[in-house]
Amino acid sequence: MVLFLMTRSDRSFPVGPRVVAVGVAFAALLLSVPFAGAAPSSSDVQNAHEASIAAEQRLNQIQAEINTIQVRLSSAIMKVDQAEADLEQVVAQIDATKSRIARAQARYDAIREQLNARAAQAFMSGPGSDLEIVLGASSLDDLSDRLEFVDAVAQSDADLAQEVANLQAALQVEEQNLRQLRTKQRAQVIAVRAQRDSILNDLARVSQLRDAAAKTVTDTLEKYQRLRKDRADYLASLAAQTSTSPPHTSVSMPPGFNNPLEVCPVDDPRLFGDGFGAPRYAGGFHLHAGNDILSNYGTPIRAPFDGVAQRAYNTLGGYSEYVYGASGYVYNAHLDHYSANSDGPVQAGDIIGYVGDTGDAIGTPHDHFEWHPNSVPANWPASYYGYSVVGSAVNPYPVLVDVCG
């Protein structure tokens, strides 16, 4: 896109020679600005922009992989929590088994000690001890009591011996259970460690992906932003070269016409020309239906009158903004981003967005401004290219000169 600086003094100049003359004048303007070999061209910015698009796609891929890993990590953490709970249960079972073994062992040792004492007593008493107890009875009742005592002692010894056997068998079972529990514990510890290793590997992969994303931003997206800024600075230098030129020549509007624009759509610094009706080829041949107001990235774009703002988007205009008022509407294209007032009621002067280069304006930040009145004013001045109306758009140059200077 080329912005021409034009006045109204040569409207009778033929269209064909006019284009040639303007081209020569613009070339002279470019030659008057020092390049120093550092100003990026629009193709440089375009190439960087394409690289940034590829970088953003790579970032999306990285984010998708990170999301997949995060899902896997969530599942792994749940498994680890369950495994640790199972492991704690096994540890509790091991502790309980050890306690039972300890109690059984103590009981076993106590009974063995009693049996050993009985055996020692029986050995010292000799084989006739029980017979002597019976023969020493003084009566039948005494004999009966002595026989019951002998039977009780014998039964007590037998019960102790049986309890020893039972405890020994129980100890063997508990020891087997303990060995099995410890085997299960080792397997669960291995499983938990494997899960934790998997988690650590995934976390390391996430860190690698984030490093790759940071490098992508540094190497590609920041380069694009830098080139865009350099290009904007260069274009600003062009504007500075022309800042000492006379202001736009006033354009006579039809008698009785009241300009619906109350404020200039773009803040200073700005530069615009009478490019309404110029041929355009992006998206197919068409006539330029507005004026391009050149400015820096981020310069505020304002509602020119009271009305309702509405966001829009298309491939040629990029981020765009309509403002509908009582006498018609205006259209702003190539915004860098919107403002908080970009969708809803606005008053004249409210910021609705910021100058950018979205759509087909890559590398050349400007506001493509169109004016669509409800009815076309009679005898409206034609543009430098000889057009007053293109579609429903009316040449906005006269009203812009009136409010922007």
Side-chain angles (χ1 to χ4, degrees):
M1 182 199 71
V2 177
L3 292 176
F4 301 111
L5 300 178
M6 294 164 278
T7 66
R8 308 290 304 176
S9 60
D10 58 352
R11 280 190 51 202
S12 61
F13 194 57
V15 173
R18 181 186 305 163
V19 174
V20 175
V22 170
V24 172
F26 188 70
L29 175 62
L30 294 181
L31 290 175
S32 70
V33 180
F35 282 87
S41 66
S42 59
S43 61
D44 292 335
V45 179
Q46 175 66 33
N47 292 337
H49 182 254
E50 292 174 355
S52 74
I53 292 175
E56 288 175 353
Q57 292 174 346
R58 173 57 181 152
L59 289 177
N60 290 336
Q61 293 172 353
I62 289 174
Q63 186 59 55
E65 186 173 350
I66 288 176
N67 291 342
T68 300
I69 291 175
Q70 287 176 336
V71 171
R72 192 164 63 237
L73 283 172
S74 297
S75 175
I77 290 172
M78 292 178 62
K79 291 180 180 178
V80 167
D81 289 342
Q82 183 60 48
E84 288 182 341
D86 293 342
L87 186 57
E88 289 177 359
Q89 184 178 9
V90 171
V91 170
Q93 291 174 346
I94 289 175
D95 291 340
T97 302
K98 286 182 177 179
S99 297
R100 290 196 302 271
I101 290 175
R103 290 194 298 272
Q105 186 67 51
R107 177 63 177 161
Y108 176 81
D109 293 342
I111 294 174
R112 286 296 302 268
E113 185 176 349
Q114 290 180 30
L115 287 176
N116 289 337
R118 289 285 298 142
Q121 182 182 1
F123 176 77
M124 289 185 293
S125 299
S129 60
D130 290 342
L131 182 59
E132 291 175 357
I133 291 173
V134 172
L135 294 177
S138 59
S139 65
L140 288 176
D141 291 336
D142 184 31
L143 176 61
S144 177
D145 292 339
R146 289 176 178 247
L147 287 174
E148 287 181 5
F149 173 75
V150 170
D151 290 341
V153 170
Q155 185 61 46
S156 175
D157 290 344
D159 290 342
L160 288 174
Q162 184 61 47
E163 187 172 356
V164 166
N166 292 340
L167 285 171
Q168 191 172 19
L171 283 171
Q172 291 176 351
V173 171
E174 294 288 12
E175 291 287 352
Q176 178 65 25
N177 289 338
L178 184 60
R179 286 192 293 271
Q180 292 175 350
L181 287 171
R182 282 176 172 163
T183 300
K184 184 178 180 180
Q185 181 188 31
R186 285 192 294 271
Q188 287 180 330
V189 168
I190 293 173
V192 169
R193 286 176 179 172
Q195 287 289 347
R196 286 178 175 169
D197 289 344
S198 176
I199 289 173
L200 292 176
N201 289 336
D202 279 343
L203 290 175
R205 178 58 180 163
V206 168
S207 179
Q208 292 173 356
L209 289 171
R210 286 177 176 165
D211 289 344
K215 189 175 187 302
T216 298
V217 170
T218 301
D219 294 350
T220 307
L221 298 182
E222 287 186 357
K223 178 182 177 182
Y224 168 54
Q225 296 292 341
R226 185 176 66 254
L227 284 175
R228 236 177 44 154
K229 181 181 181 302
D230 291 345
R231 178 69 176 170
D233 291 343
Y234 166 68
L235 293 174
S237 71
L238 288 180
Q241 291 291 325
T242 61
S243 61
T244 57
S245 63
H248 293 272
T249 302
S250 178
V251 181
S252 297
M253 292 179 281
F257 175 80
N258 292 319
N259 188 352
L261 275 60
E262 300 177 31
V263 297
C264 185
V266 178
D267 284 1
D268 282 327
R270 59 179 177 263
L271 182 69
F272 65 93
D274 190 7
F276 186 81
R280 292 290 188 268
Y281 301 92
F285 177 79
H286 62 281
L287 297 179
H288 196 223
N291 288 157
D292 290 337
I293 306 174
L294 178 69
S295 188
N296 295 325
Y297 289 104
T299 300
I301 298 174
R302 299 182 183 273
F305 43 65
D306 296 348
V308 177
Q310 180 179 326
R311 299 179 183 180
Y313 181 85
N314 60 80
T315 55
L316 291 180
Y319 295 121
S320 307
E321 186 78 29
Y322 291 89
V323 179
Y324 296 90
S327 60
Y329 70 90
V330 296
Y331 169 72
N332 303 269
H334 311 305
L335 278 64
D336 184 77
H337 60 286
Y338 299 108
S339 74
N341 297 320
S342 62
D343 204 11
V346 291
Q347 294 181 331
D350 286 348
I351 297 175
I352 56 175
Y354 301 88
V355 171
D357 64 353
T358 56
D360 69 342
I362 297 300
T364 307
H366 69 277
D367 175 23
H368 170 85
F369 180 83
E370 295 181 10
W371 173 44
H372 297 255
N374 292 333
S375 60
V376 177
N379 302 318
W380 191 253
S383 71
Y384 187 88
Y385 288 89
Y387 293 90
S388 296
V389 180
V390 174
S392 66
V394 173
N395 178 22
Y397 185 76
V399 293
L400 285 176
V401 171
D402 185 45
V403 295
C404 300

